[in-house]
Amino acid sequence: MAEPMVIVDDLHIVYRVFGAGGDKGTAAAALLRMMRRQRRPSIREVHAIRGISFVAYRGDAVGVIGRNGSGKSTLLRAIAGLLPPDAGAVYTTGEASLLGVNAALMDDLTGDRNVVLGCLAMGMTRQEARERYQEVVDFSGVGEFIDLPMRAYSTGMASRLRFAIASARSHDVLLIDEALATGDAEFRRKSHRRIGELRTQAGTVFLVAHNLNEIEETCNRVIWLEKGRIVMDGEDVPAIIDAYVQASGGERRERTPVSS
Amino acid sequence: MSGPAKRGLAGPGTLSGATPPQDEAAMLPAEPLADLAAQHGLRPSALRPSLPAYCRQLWQRRHFILAFATARNVAMYTEARLGQLWQVLTPLLNAAVYFLIFGVLLGTSRGIPNFVAFLVTGIFIFSFTQRSFLVASRVINDHMSLIRALRFPRACLPLGYVVLELQQLLLSMVVLFAIVLISGEPVTLYWLLLIPALILQALFNVGAGMIIARLGAGVADFSQLLPFLLRTWMYVSGVIFSINTLSALKDHAKLQAVLHANPAAVYIDLVRYAVLRSQRLSMPGAKPYNQSHCAFYNLHRSVEPYWSAYCHAAPLSGPSVLWLLGAGWAVAALVIGFVFFWRAEARYGRG
C-alpha cells in the first residue's frame, strides 16, 4: 500500500466570528453591554467542517470541489496547520504549505525582493535563493515588471509570481487554493506541468478550484464537500465531477480535450 | 487524461448523490486513523515545534530576517519624494519638536547641562524601544497573508522589525554624534560603551517585542491602547527631564529608585553616560558630597548646573548598578518573551 502523507481523522473546525452584527455598533451600545456583563453578542460560531476523514497518499493530487462556503478553503488551512482543530486531528508528513489566492506576500515590495524573501522564508540559503531566482522569474512570466512593487501587478501577474515562488521548493504537501484561477492559458499549462513535477518529487498536492476542468486535468482523486461534510471521495474523477455538476443543477459539461 | 471509456462510466442519469461510485468509507483504511498516523510517523499539523527545534529553525532563517529588515527599510520611504532622507529627518524633527516644547516653553532644561544633547539622546534611545513595540503589536496582523502563505518560524517577523529599527537607530546615531559634537562634548573612550548599551537595549526590545507581538495578535484592543501606554512610559523615563535632579523627586527616594530601574530609563542613562561628558560630570555623587554646593544647586539650578555632582547619588543611579540592571532586563525579557511567543506559534495564522 502507498505511504500515507495526510491523514484527516474526524476533523471539526469551528470559526468564532467577531463583529457579526446584532449590535448597534455604537460606543454606547458597547458600554451598556459591558455593564450588563453580557458576552459580545457579535460573536457567532460557524461550524465549517463537521467530521471529515480521509487519507491521502504519496503522489496523490487531490481535487477538492464544492459550493462556496462548503468548507474547501477551511479544510486546506486545517491541513496546513493554520487552524487548530476543535475536535479530531490532522496528521501530515513533513510540512504542508498553503498557496492561497489572497497570499499577497508583501505588496509594497518589488517582485524581485518578494522572490528572494519568499525563497529565504521557505528556508533556502542565500546561495540557493540566488540559484533559484532566475528560474522563478522566468516561470512566473512577469518579465520586465519584476522590479516594480507587487501592488502595481495585475491579479494574474501577482498570482503567477506567488505560485512560482511557492513551487520553487519541493514541498511534502502542497495546498493550492484557487491560486491558478487567474492565470492565462499558457500559464495554466505551465503550472499544470509543475504540479505534476511536484507530485513526482514525492509530494501530495491538494487543489481547490471552481474550474472543474482544471481539477479533472490535474487530479487523480477528488473530494466533494457539502456543508462541511464529504459527499463523495474517489479516484473516478470524471464521474464524481459529473455527479457534482448534476447535484448543483448544472448542465453537463463540455469537456475540452486536454494536452497534458 | 479523461479518455472516452472513462467518460462512458459517468453517463447522464446513471449517477446521483445517493449512489456514489466510491463512497467515503471505501476510501478509508480499516484500522483507526490515529494508529495509521503513528505507524507511518505522521505528526499533527497544528503542533508547534519543540523549543530547541524552533531555535534551530529560527537560526536557519537568519538570512531571511536580515533580508526582510533591509527590504522593509528600503520600502518604508519609497513613496515620499525625499525618500531615504526621511530616515535622518524624522528623528531630527522629533528632537526639534520636543526641544521647542520642553526646552523653550516649559523650561524642564533648568539645571541640566547641555540640555539639547541630553534631550536628543533620550528621544533617540527611547524611540528605538517605542517604535519596536509599536510595530511588534501589529506585526502578526499586518503580515497575515505572508503567514498563511509560507511556513516559517513566526518569531522571524518581530525579530526582523527590531533589526530594522536597529538599522534606523544607527542612522539616527550619526545625527546624534553630530549634535553632540556641535554642542561641545568631546570624543572620549567612553563612547565605546555605546556598543554594549545598544546591544543590551536591542536584546530587550526583541524579548519584550515578542510579548507585545503575541498580545497584539490575540487582542485587537491591545494595539489601540499601546500608544498611550508608551507615551506615559516616555514621560516617566527621564527622556525630557533628569530623574537624578528633578526637584519634585528630591524627597521620594523609593519612587526615584523605581523610575531609575525601569528599562527605558536604564538604557537611556547608559547611553547618556557613554556619550555625554556633561552627564558624567554632573551626575549626583560624581564628586564628594558638599552640603552647601548641593543646596546652592537646588536653589539656583541654571547658574551652576554642574554642581548637582556635589549632591548625594540617587538610588540605583550608579553606572555599575545600571549595567547590571540593563543586562538583567535584556536577559529576562529575551527568555520570557521568546518562550511566551513560541507557546502560541501554532495559532498565529488564525486571524
Side-chain angles (χ1 to χ4, degrees), chain A residues 80 90 92 98 108 121 217 246, chain B residues 1 43 45 61 72 149 151:
Chain A
V90 179
T92 57
L98 176 64
D108 48 346
E217 289 165 23
Q246 224 170 38
Chain B
M1 202 183 252
R43 293 187 304 115
S45 66
R61 298 303 203 281
R72 287 266 143 229
R151 200 178 253 231

Side-chain angles (χ1 to χ4, degrees), chain A residues 13-17 43-50 69 86:
Chain A
I13 300 273
V14 179
Y15 282 109
R16 277 158 208 93
V17 185
I43 300 182
R44 197 185 299 166
E45 295 198 339
V46 179
H47 204 148
I49 299 281
R50 306 160 179 256
D86 286 89

Side-chain angles (χ1 to χ4, degrees), chain A residues 131-160:
Chain A
E131 286 166 10
R132 286 306 185 96
Y133 174 81
Q134 201 52 47
E135 193 186 323
V136 171
V137 174
D138 292 346
F139 183 82
S140 72
V142 170
E144 78 229 66
F145 294 104
I146 195 68
D147 52 2
L148 290 184
M150 267 187 88
R151 68 180 121 76
Y153 284 24
S154 72
T155 324
M157 283 199 309
S159 73
R160 265 152 41 200

Side-chain angles (χ1 to χ4, degrees), chain B residues 111-114 118 185 242 244-245 273 276-287 297 304-313:
Chain B
I112 299 174
N114 197 359
F118 173 92
E185 301 275 347
S242 164
N244 278 323
T245 59
Y273 186 82
L276 304 177
R277 194 180 62 150
S278 56
Q279 280 300 300
R280 287 195 297 275
L281 292 182
S282 69
M283 216 166 78
K287 298 222 169 92
Y297 170 80
E304 290 286 359
Y306 283 92
W307 280 19
S308 54
Y310 292 107
C311 298
H312 283 302

